Every structure is written in C-alpha cells, then in structure tokens.
Amino acid sequence: MKKLYYAYLSLGLFAIYIFMTSSSLGRATDDNVGNTGAPGESTLCSNCHNNGAYGNVTVSIQIFEMGTTNPVSFYIPNTVYDGRVTVTGSMGSPLGYGFQLTTMLNGNTPYAAYSNWASNVKLKAITSGAQAGRTYLEQNGVTNNNQFNFQWTAPTSGNISFFASGVACNANGGTSGDRSSNSSLNLSMAPSLSVTSQVTPVSCFNGSDGSIQVTVNSGVEPYTYEWSDGSNASSFNNLPAGNYSVTVTDGLGQTYEESFTLNNPT
C-alpha cells in the first residue's frame, strides 16, 4: 500500500509539474505572468522552450490597414487595424503553436484595445502580480494554426510598442522538444498632412500668366494632387482670372483641400 501511495503521489506531482511548466492555455491564463519581452517581465518563453528540433523559430508581428494585407509603418489616431502574429519554425513539422502578445504605450504604460480576435486566440487581463494592469492575447489552447489574428484600435497619440513571443511545440504537454522566440514592433503616430501654397496673380487685364504652387511640408509619401480642372501636378500654371481648388492626399489617405481666387486686374 505504501508503494502504491508513493507511486500515485509521484504521478500527481509529475502532472502538476507538467501543468505548471507547459502553460498550454497561455502563460497569462495559467500563471498570471507575461513572457513577451515587454518591460518589467522577468523571463521569456524561450527560457524553457529551448531544446526542440524545429530550428530557429521566428515570430513576426504585423499591423495592416483594415481588410488588406498592406502593413503600416505609422498609425492614424483612433483607427482600427488588422493585426497578426505568425510563428514559424525553420525545420521539421511542429505539432502545435502558441503565442503571447501585449502592447505598451510610450514605453511602459499598458495599452490594449484589442477586438475581434480569431477562434485560436483569447484575451487575458492580469489583475494581480508583477504584470497587473496589462492585457495579453495568447493562444486559445495549443493549435496547429501558426497565425493568430486580431483587430486593434490605435490610441489618440504616443508611441506604441508590440511585444510577442511564440512557441513551436511537439504537443507533449511539457516544454521538452519545443522551440521559442520573441520579437517586437514599434509604431509612431503618422505625421499630419501639412500643405502651404503660393499664388502668383494675373499681371494684366484678361491675361493668363497666373499660377498656384502647393508644397507639402509633412505627411506620408506618396502625395497626389487633384485640381479642379482634373490636372494632377503640384503646381497650376498659365492661369487666367477665376476660381480654382486643389485636393492633396498623402499615402495614408489624409487629405488637404484649399480654394483660390485669381482676380482680373483693372
């Protein structure tokens, strides 16, 4: 009986060990901690998941214009974007994948604003411990899908940093045979579109030597110009007296409109 008791005790302790080290439901869910590499986190997933046969694991974080696969390098305040974390092993065929993602504003202020995450993703808000106040996205159980999709709403201002870790695993319930890595992505607020103009009036009565020149001072390239007559250059030359307008659009879709009147001299 005593041997049987110790055998069951050993099995129980081993099961607890596996549960505590595998975190198959996610580190925030299972253990109330983050392992993404964000400021204030003490460990990474790779501290444990580091001896598998899947080669170098890469973790990519991408933020796209909604409904597209166009990655952004700036954000427009209060705009909703599509987001994706992809975990890829360079060797072998992992049986499952996991990830964890968190977002920080201006270095160390937690910022979440996640929505519409995929079925293999779940959200966990940590309310106690070293990472209290942070919100994490992580796998909704081990999945054979190496892409984790979500939507994210940009803040009104500030610098944003995404931190993510990813695991390619053999789904044995422990950390042996797994490989992990982490990455980060920084986004700053898009510079607002700023345009100035210079008008040269018509010099003679019923003449046609007026001109309008617009100059973009800030924004995101490329810039397009649409004048009231349908032309698309940055300047409008050889103009008679009359009313004109221009719309300037930058690469993020920000627009600037201005109207002009060239008077006919006496």
Side-chain angles (χ1 to χ4, degrees):
M1 286 295 294
K2 185 175 291 188
K3 290 182 178 180
L4 188 61
Y5 168 79
Y6 283 118
Y8 281 123
L9 179 62
S10 298
L11 285 174
L13 291 174
F14 180 73
I16 293 172
Y17 169 78
I18 291 296
F19 175 78
M20 292 298 289
T21 56
S22 67
S23 300
S24 61
L25 296 178
R27 286 288 282 159
T29 299
D30 283 348
D31 301 312
N32 219 37
V33 296
N35 294 144
T36 65
E41 296 176 356
S42 59
T43 61
L44 297 171
C45 290
S46 56
N47 292 139
C48 295
H49 301 272
N50 60 5
N51 61 353
Y54 303 125
N56 294 321
V57 169
T58 59
V59 179
S60 69
I61 308 169
Q62 295 171 292
I63 304 298
F64 305 104
E65 297 174 8
M66 181 181 285
T68 76
T69 55
N70 301 324
V72 301
S73 53
F74 301 95
Y75 71 82
I76 298 175
N78 303 314
T79 300
V80 180
Y81 295 93
D82 291 331
R84 177 181 300 161
V85 175
T86 304
V87 183
T88 307
S90 63
M91 295 175 57
S93 300
L95 298 180
Y97 300 90
F99 90 111
Q100 191 180 54
L101 171 80
T102 195
T103 311
M104 308 296 285
L105 175 64
N106 294 329
N108 56 9
T109 301
Y111 182 82
Y114 307 116
S115 61
N116 297 325
W117 45 85
S119 60
N120 64 341
V121 178
K122 68 175 179 296
L123 180 143
K124 171 65 176 178
I126 294 183
T127 58
S128 62
Q131 277 83 58
R134 297 187 183 185
T135 301
Y136 290 85
L137 293 180
E138 51 192 12
Q139 77 273 4
N140 190 19
V142 176
T143 173
N144 60 4
N145 185 351
N146 71 329
Q147 291 187 343
F148 303 91
N149 296 309
F150 57 94
Q151 288 183 336
W152 173 80
T153 302
T156 57
S157 64
N159 294 316
I160 282 290
S161 297
F162 295 86
F163 298 90
S165 60
V167 177
C169 66
N170 59 10
N172 68 353
T175 61
S176 63
D178 302 342
R179 290 296 284 265
S180 177
S181 184
N182 63 287
S183 65
S184 61
L185 173 69
N186 298 312
L187 292 180
S188 58
M189 186 172 66
S192 59
L193 181 61
S194 173
V195 179
T196 56
S197 59
Q198 181 177 353
V199 176
T200 301
V202 177
S203 62
C204 298
F205 180 74
N206 284 343
S208 57
D209 59 351
S211 66
I212 306 170
Q213 171 77 43
V214 293
T215 302
V216 176
N217 301 310
S218 65
V220 177
E221 294 182 336
Y223 306 113
T224 60
Y225 308 86
E226 185 177 354
W227 292 90
S228 48
D229 76 334
S231 62
N232 53 18
S234 60
S235 60
F236 205 1
N237 301 307
N238 302 318
L239 301 177
N243 297 318
Y244 304 91
S245 64
V246 65
T247 300
V248 183
T249 306
D250 77 350
L252 292 178
Q254 301 179 100
T255 59
Y256 173 90
E257 298 180 6
E258 188 173 359
S259 297
F260 310 89
T261 297
L262 294 183
N263 295 317
N264 206 2
T266 59

